[in-house]
Amino acid sequence: MARLAKPSGIEFVCTERPFSGFDFAEARFAGSPPIRRLFSLGRSKGARSLIVEAVEPEGPVLEENDDITSIAPDHSAVALIRVSFWKKAVKNHADFSSLTSRYGIGYAILKHDEIPSRGIDSWHVFEAVFIGNKHHHNYLTTSGRIRFRCGQRHFSVTGSLYAQQNAISKACAQVALRSLCATYLNEPDLSFRKINDLASGGDPSFVPSAGLNSTQIAAVLKGLGIPYAEINYEANPSLREPFPYQKLVYSGVESGCGALLGFRLSGPAAPAVGHVIPYVGHTFNEDAWAPHADVMYFTVGKTIEYVPSRAWMSSFLVHDDNFGANLCIPQNFVHRDNVGYAVELLPRGYSYSGALAEIVASQYFYSLLPALFSSGGNTWLRRLVDYVNQQRLILRCVPITLAAYVKALGNAEDWEGMKEDPTSITDLTNINADKLWMIEVSVPEVFSTNKRKLGEILLDAEHALSDKIDGASFVLARFPENYVFFSKVTPSGTPTFLTTPSKFRSHLPLLRRK
Amino acid sequence: MRGDESLENHRIFVLLGYLDELKLPIDSSQSDCYLWALSPMKSSPTKYASPALAEKIAKNYGTTARKLRVNMVGAEDVSKLVKKVQRAQVKTSKHAMQLD
């Protein structure tokens, strides 16, 4: 694999002024937008030097060369360069010897292919991994720690793998899949050959440069053993309004698994085929205006069931193989009518979308809250009801295991410092479920500013979701001073629950990603 | 962008006015709280946590588990949407979209 290949030479380049990333990218790599983007990422993250190494093709790059040659026999693999960006000035081997991963910004494998018969003589980004933006509003959720070599040493960088198409053996769909799946599987060397093999299913007429259709994308995910939830909006246009693509995509990035979005291009010269990009994170702005203003100004008199946590999100973080890595898309920029296909990657062992879990949990919430409200005088339950009356209920859906949930509960303190009874925490480990969707329940100021919640509803995520209140998916709910267990459905059809005390009287921290 | 596009407004389910009704006096000594007309449902065994577990936790606090009987509000609408999404996932392969 090129990221770990032994270099045949090493060059130290100072990137401090007057060094120009534009000049360098144009002179060395013909300056395509995704390659320029690498230099922009380096500059924006404080790169003081870059290290350029020529490497020999290995592993997936070697496979790709073979695959291209089988398509176009006059193919030449002209060059393969590994470029790494560093926050420390590295002018010589002495400087290099003191380099550590904490100075690393990212690396890229740049590949030069030539096919005279097709007029191809171009560089592209075979792969690149860069650290996320340090801005506290940015959450690069779909990321992993990836090792790479520089000189005779190994380093690592935490980021989301980006790849660019070459219009010969891979198109946007293959590179989007590699971005997400390599991170999901923790297999940075997941090859395009494997993706193409899974997509083609052995069909000899398969043309990789034509990209993949949505069925083939699903076949790749299935072949890699990655669970997913998908919606083809072109086949189901009536879902665009009640179940917009943002729900599915946000659920994927919030769970840390990622999502793919396929959309039609617009404009007088738009081609018939669509484009697909991987979604790898989101922003979160605690000062967002829209969640407050929507009810007051733009949906006056309308009924709103709940405000999803993504209302505080301005943009999705994405890669686009045409433009580069770690870009932001305002969450509504891609119009719903343009979107044809959306896929949410699910955590291992999960059988349905977190977006559906959120909807079903809201139903449990509205059923349980009146009954709980009648049970006592907890201040936060009263406030919760007040906010619900103002249509300001907030729900956030995240995956969690029962063990992690119980551990978090055991460590948690409410705002007044109250901890849960340890015996009850131990008792909760007897719940017969493992993988859960946890739908956290909160209200505006508590959620966005304090990043805390008033409760949660847990649904079993391993088995098919029941759309009825029959206890088939409901595991547990917790609200101030209350746990709620499902009991039974009476012969007359009434769902019944059992509620027990909890020592938590106020709000607890939201689940935070490590 | 308009605010209603930045938020996901699930207007299809519930009339929130029902919570206002709750502000009427309720006899909280009732162990069972009946709310609105009931919609028939099939019974299903409790799979994840036994009533004994609830009782055990209640006992930790020197009390017994309290029974809540609830009615689902807007259950049919939720059920319809969930079914529609689940059906869409099944038939996706019949209308493949080409992406390059």
Side-chain angles (χ1 to χ4, degrees), chain A residues 347-386:
Chain A
R348 281 190 193 286
Y350 281 59
S351 68
Y352 61 92
S353 166
L356 284 180
E358 196 174 86
I359 291 170
V360 169
S362 74
Q363 194 181 23
Y364 276 105
F365 173 83
Y366 281 105
S367 302
L368 288 169
L369 188 64
L372 291 173
F373 179 68
S374 71
S375 69
N378 180 280
T379 303
W380 282 101
L381 270 179
R382 177 182 60 72
R383 288 177 182 147
L384 179 57
V385 171
D386 286 347

Side-chain angles (χ1 to χ4, degrees), chain A residues 286-306:
Chain A
E286 65 246 35
D287 301 316
W289 173 80
H292 307 286
D294 191 63
V295 174
M296 287 291 289
Y297 304 147
F298 303 116
T299 56
V300 180
K302 289 187 176 175
T303 301
I304 295 174
E305 174 81 359
Y306 64 87

